[in-house]
Short mmCIF file of all heavy atoms in Angstrom, two decimals:
data_model
loop_
_atom_site.label_atom_id
_atom_site.label_comp_id
_atom_site.label_asym_id
_atom_site.label_seq_id
_atom_site.Cartn_x
_atom_site.Cartn_y
_atom_site.Cartn_z
N ASP Q 11 13.41 24.36 2.07
CA ASP Q 11 14.71 23.83 2.42
C ASP Q 11 14.46 22.47 3.05
O ASP Q 11 14.00 22.39 4.19
CB ASP Q 11 15.42 24.77 3.39
CG ASP Q 11 16.85 24.35 3.64
OD1 ASP Q 11 17.45 23.70 2.77
OD2 ASP Q 11 17.36 24.67 4.73
N ALA Q 12 14.72 21.39 2.30
CA ALA Q 12 14.33 20.07 2.78
C ALA Q 12 15.33 19.01 2.37
O ALA Q 12 15.99 19.11 1.35
CB ALA Q 12 12.96 19.71 2.22
N THR Q 13 15.42 17.98 3.18
CA THR Q 13 16.11 16.74 2.84
C THR Q 13 15.13 15.61 3.11
O THR Q 13 14.65 15.47 4.23
CB THR Q 13 17.39 16.54 3.68
OG1 THR Q 13 18.25 17.65 3.47
CG2 THR Q 13 18.09 15.26 3.30
N TRP Q 14 14.82 14.87 2.07
CA TRP Q 14 13.86 13.78 2.18
C TRP Q 14 14.54 12.45 1.89
O TRP Q 14 15.44 12.37 1.07
CB TRP Q 14 12.71 13.96 1.18
CG TRP Q 14 11.96 15.23 1.33
CD1 TRP Q 14 11.72 15.93 2.48
CD2 TRP Q 14 11.34 15.98 0.29
NE1 TRP Q 14 10.98 17.05 2.21
CE2 TRP Q 14 10.73 17.11 0.88
CE3 TRP Q 14 11.22 15.81 -1.08
CZ2 TRP Q 14 10.03 18.04 0.13
CZ3 TRP Q 14 10.52 16.74 -1.82
CH2 TRP Q 14 9.93 17.84 -1.21
N GLN Q 15 14.09 11.41 2.56
CA GLN Q 15 14.55 10.06 2.29
C GLN Q 15 13.43 9.31 1.58
O GLN Q 15 12.27 9.38 1.99
CB GLN Q 15 14.87 9.35 3.59
CG GLN Q 15 15.99 10.02 4.36
CD GLN Q 15 16.24 9.33 5.67
OE1 GLN Q 15 16.34 8.11 5.73
NE2 GLN Q 15 16.35 10.10 6.73
N VAL Q 16 13.77 8.60 0.50
CA VAL Q 16 12.77 7.88 -0.28
C VAL Q 16 13.30 6.49 -0.61
O VAL Q 16 14.41 6.33 -1.10
CB VAL Q 16 12.43 8.63 -1.59
CG1 VAL Q 16 11.39 7.88 -2.39
CG2 VAL Q 16 11.95 10.06 -1.29
N LEU Q 17 12.48 5.49 -0.33
CA LEU Q 17 12.82 4.10 -0.60
C LEU Q 17 11.88 3.56 -1.67
O LEU Q 17 10.69 3.83 -1.65
CB LEU Q 17 12.63 3.29 0.69
CG LEU Q 17 12.87 1.80 0.57
CD1 LEU Q 17 13.84 1.36 1.65
CD2 LEU Q 17 11.58 1.05 0.69
N THR Q 18 12.44 2.82 -2.63
CA THR Q 18 11.62 2.16 -3.65
C THR Q 18 11.89 0.67 -3.58
O THR Q 18 13.03 0.23 -3.40
CB THR Q 18 11.93 2.67 -5.07
OG1 THR Q 18 13.29 2.38 -5.38
CG2 THR Q 18 11.68 4.16 -5.19
N SER Q 19 10.81 -0.11 -3.74
CA SER Q 19 10.92 -1.55 -3.61
C SER Q 19 9.82 -2.22 -4.41
O SER Q 19 8.73 -1.66 -4.57
CB SER Q 19 10.80 -1.93 -2.13
OG SER Q 19 10.97 -3.31 -1.94
N VAL Q 20 10.08 -3.42 -4.87
CA VAL Q 20 9.04 -4.24 -5.48
C VAL Q 20 8.58 -5.23 -4.42
O VAL Q 20 9.41 -5.89 -3.78
CB VAL Q 20 9.57 -4.99 -6.73
CG1 VAL Q 20 8.54 -5.97 -7.26
CG2 VAL Q 20 9.94 -3.99 -7.81
N VAL Q 21 7.27 -5.30 -4.20
CA VAL Q 21 6.71 -6.14 -3.15
C VAL Q 21 5.63 -7.06 -3.72
O VAL Q 21 4.94 -6.70 -4.67
CB VAL Q 21 6.11 -5.29 -2.01
CG1 VAL Q 21 7.19 -4.47 -1.31
CG2 VAL Q 21 5.00 -4.39 -2.50
N PRO Q 22 5.48 -8.26 -3.15
CA PRO Q 22 4.41 -9.15 -3.61
C PRO Q 22 3.05 -8.60 -3.18
O PRO Q 22 2.90 -8.00 -2.11
CB PRO Q 22 4.72 -10.48 -2.91
CG PRO Q 22 5.60 -10.13 -1.77
CD PRO Q 22 6.31 -8.85 -2.12
N VAL Q 23 2.05 -8.81 -4.03
CA VAL Q 23 0.68 -8.37 -3.74
C VAL Q 23 -0.23 -9.58 -3.86
O VAL Q 23 -0.26 -10.23 -4.91
CB VAL Q 23 0.23 -7.27 -4.73
CG1 VAL Q 23 -1.21 -6.88 -4.48
CG2 VAL Q 23 1.14 -6.06 -4.64
N PRO Q 24 -0.94 -9.93 -2.79
CA PRO Q 24 -1.85 -11.08 -2.87
C PRO Q 24 -2.88 -10.88 -3.97
O PRO Q 24 -3.31 -9.76 -4.24
CB PRO Q 24 -2.53 -11.10 -1.49
CG PRO Q 24 -1.65 -10.30 -0.61
CD PRO Q 24 -0.96 -9.30 -1.49
N HIS Q 25 -3.26 -11.98 -4.60
CA HIS Q 25 -4.20 -11.90 -5.72
C HIS Q 25 -5.41 -12.80 -5.46
O HIS Q 25 -5.27 -13.94 -5.05
CB HIS Q 25 -3.52 -12.33 -7.01
CG HIS Q 25 -4.44 -12.38 -8.18
ND1 HIS Q 25 -4.90 -11.24 -8.80
CD2 HIS Q 25 -5.01 -13.42 -8.82
CE1 HIS Q 25 -5.70 -11.57 -9.78
NE2 HIS Q 25 -5.78 -12.90 -9.82
N HIS Q 26 -6.58 -12.25 -5.70
CA HIS Q 26 -7.83 -13.00 -5.69
C HIS Q 26 -8.72 -12.35 -6.73
O HIS Q 26 -8.86 -11.12 -6.74
CB HIS Q 26 -8.49 -12.94 -4.31
CG HIS Q 26 -9.66 -13.86 -4.19
ND1 HIS Q 26 -10.89 -13.56 -4.71
CD2 HIS Q 26 -9.76 -15.08 -3.63
CE1 HIS Q 26 -11.71 -14.56 -4.47
NE2 HIS Q 26 -11.06 -15.50 -3.82
N PRO Q 27 -9.32 -13.13 -7.62
CA PRO Q 27 -10.07 -12.54 -8.73
C PRO Q 27 -11.25 -11.65 -8.32
O PRO Q 27 -11.66 -10.78 -9.07
CB PRO Q 27 -10.54 -13.75 -9.54
CG PRO Q 27 -10.37 -14.92 -8.65
CD PRO Q 27 -9.33 -14.58 -7.64
N GLU Q 28 -11.77 -11.85 -7.12
CA GLU Q 28 -12.95 -11.08 -6.70
C GLU Q 28 -12.62 -9.91 -5.78
O GLU Q 28 -13.52 -9.22 -5.32
CB GLU Q 28 -13.95 -12.01 -6.02
CG GLU Q 28 -14.48 -13.09 -6.95
CD GLU Q 28 -15.40 -14.06 -6.25
OE1 GLU Q 28 -15.93 -13.71 -5.18
OE2 GLU Q 28 -15.58 -15.16 -6.77
N ILE Q 29 -11.34 -9.71 -5.49
CA ILE Q 29 -10.96 -8.64 -4.56
C ILE Q 29 -10.05 -7.65 -5.26
O ILE Q 29 -9.07 -8.02 -5.90
CB ILE Q 29 -10.26 -9.23 -3.32
CG1 ILE Q 29 -11.21 -10.13 -2.55
CG2 ILE Q 29 -9.74 -8.12 -2.43
CD1 ILE Q 29 -10.58 -10.85 -1.38
N ASP Q 30 -10.39 -6.37 -5.13
CA ASP Q 30 -9.55 -5.29 -5.64
C ASP Q 30 -8.49 -5.00 -4.57
O ASP Q 30 -8.82 -4.49 -3.50
CB ASP Q 30 -10.40 -4.05 -5.91
CG ASP Q 30 -9.59 -2.84 -6.32
OD1 ASP Q 30 -8.36 -2.95 -6.50
OD2 ASP Q 30 -10.19 -1.76 -6.47
N PRO Q 31 -7.21 -5.34 -4.82
CA PRO Q 31 -6.20 -5.14 -3.78
C PRO Q 31 -6.06 -3.69 -3.35
O PRO Q 31 -5.79 -3.41 -2.20
CB PRO Q 31 -4.91 -5.68 -4.39
CG PRO Q 31 -5.17 -5.91 -5.82
CD PRO Q 31 -6.64 -5.92 -6.03
N ALA Q 32 -6.25 -2.75 -4.27
CA ALA Q 32 -6.13 -1.33 -3.91
C ALA Q 32 -7.23 -0.94 -2.92
O ALA Q 32 -6.97 -0.26 -1.92
CB ALA Q 32 -6.20 -0.46 -5.16
N ALA Q 33 -8.46 -1.36 -3.18
CA ALA Q 33 -9.57 -1.03 -2.27
C ALA Q 33 -9.39 -1.71 -0.92
O ALA Q 33 -9.63 -1.10 0.13
CB ALA Q 33 -10.89 -1.43 -2.91
N ALA Q 34 -8.95 -2.99 -0.93
CA ALA Q 34 -8.76 -3.71 0.33
C ALA Q 34 -7.66 -3.06 1.17
O ALA Q 34 -7.82 -2.85 2.37
CB ALA Q 34 -8.43 -5.17 0.04
N LEU Q 35 -6.56 -2.71 0.52
CA LEU Q 35 -5.46 -2.07 1.23
C LEU Q 35 -5.86 -0.71 1.77
O LEU Q 35 -5.52 -0.34 2.89
CB LEU Q 35 -4.24 -1.95 0.31
CG LEU Q 35 -2.98 -1.41 0.94
CD1 LEU Q 35 -2.55 -2.26 2.13
CD2 LEU Q 35 -1.86 -1.35 -0.07
N SER Q 36 -6.63 0.04 0.99
CA SER Q 36 -7.11 1.34 1.44
C SER Q 36 -7.93 1.21 2.71
O SER Q 36 -7.77 1.98 3.66
CB SER Q 36 -7.93 1.99 0.33
OG SER Q 36 -8.54 3.17 0.79
N THR Q 37 -8.81 0.23 2.75
CA THR Q 37 -9.64 0.01 3.92
C THR Q 37 -8.79 -0.37 5.13
O THR Q 37 -8.98 0.15 6.23
CB THR Q 37 -10.68 -1.09 3.64
OG1 THR Q 37 -11.48 -0.68 2.53
CG2 THR Q 37 -11.56 -1.34 4.84
N LEU Q 38 -7.83 -1.26 4.92
CA LEU Q 38 -6.96 -1.69 6.02
C LEU Q 38 -6.12 -0.53 6.56
O LEU Q 38 -5.99 -0.35 7.77
CB LEU Q 38 -6.03 -2.81 5.56
CG LEU Q 38 -6.67 -4.17 5.33
CD1 LEU Q 38 -5.68 -5.11 4.66
CD2 LEU Q 38 -7.17 -4.75 6.63
N LEU Q 39 -5.54 0.26 5.66
CA LEU Q 39 -4.71 1.38 6.09
C LEU Q 39 -5.54 2.43 6.83
O LEU Q 39 -5.10 2.99 7.83
CB LEU Q 39 -4.01 2.02 4.90
CG LEU Q 39 -2.90 1.19 4.26
CD1 LEU Q 39 -2.42 1.86 2.98
CD2 LEU Q 39 -1.76 0.97 5.22
N GLY Q 40 -6.73 2.71 6.33
CA GLY Q 40 -7.60 3.68 6.98
C GLY Q 40 -8.00 3.25 8.38
O GLY Q 40 -8.09 4.06 9.30
N ALA Q 41 -8.21 1.94 8.56
CA ALA Q 41 -8.58 1.43 9.88
C ALA Q 41 -7.38 1.38 10.82
O ALA Q 41 -7.53 1.54 12.03
CB ALA Q 41 -9.19 0.03 9.74
N ALA Q 42 -6.18 1.19 10.28
CA ALA Q 42 -4.98 1.07 11.10
C ALA Q 42 -4.53 2.40 11.68
O ALA Q 42 -3.93 2.45 12.75
CB ALA Q 42 -3.85 0.45 10.31
N SER Q 43 -4.79 3.48 10.98
CA SER Q 43 -4.35 4.79 11.45
C SER Q 43 -5.44 5.81 11.20
O SER Q 43 -5.72 6.17 10.06
CB SER Q 43 -3.07 5.21 10.72
OG SER Q 43 -2.69 6.51 11.13
N LEU Q 44 -6.04 6.27 12.27
CA LEU Q 44 -7.12 7.25 12.15
C LEU Q 44 -6.62 8.61 11.70
O LEU Q 44 -7.39 9.43 11.22
CB LEU Q 44 -7.87 7.36 13.47
CG LEU Q 44 -8.51 6.05 13.96
CD1 LEU Q 44 -9.15 6.26 15.32
CD2 LEU Q 44 -9.53 5.54 12.96
#
C-alpha cells in the first residue's frame, strides 16, 4: 500500500572525451553519502 512521487527531467551532462560521466558521478555520489 504505497503512494510514490516521481519526477522526470532532462538535465545537461558535462562532456569530456577521456571521462566516463557515469563512473565520475558514481564516485561523487558514493563519497557524498556514505
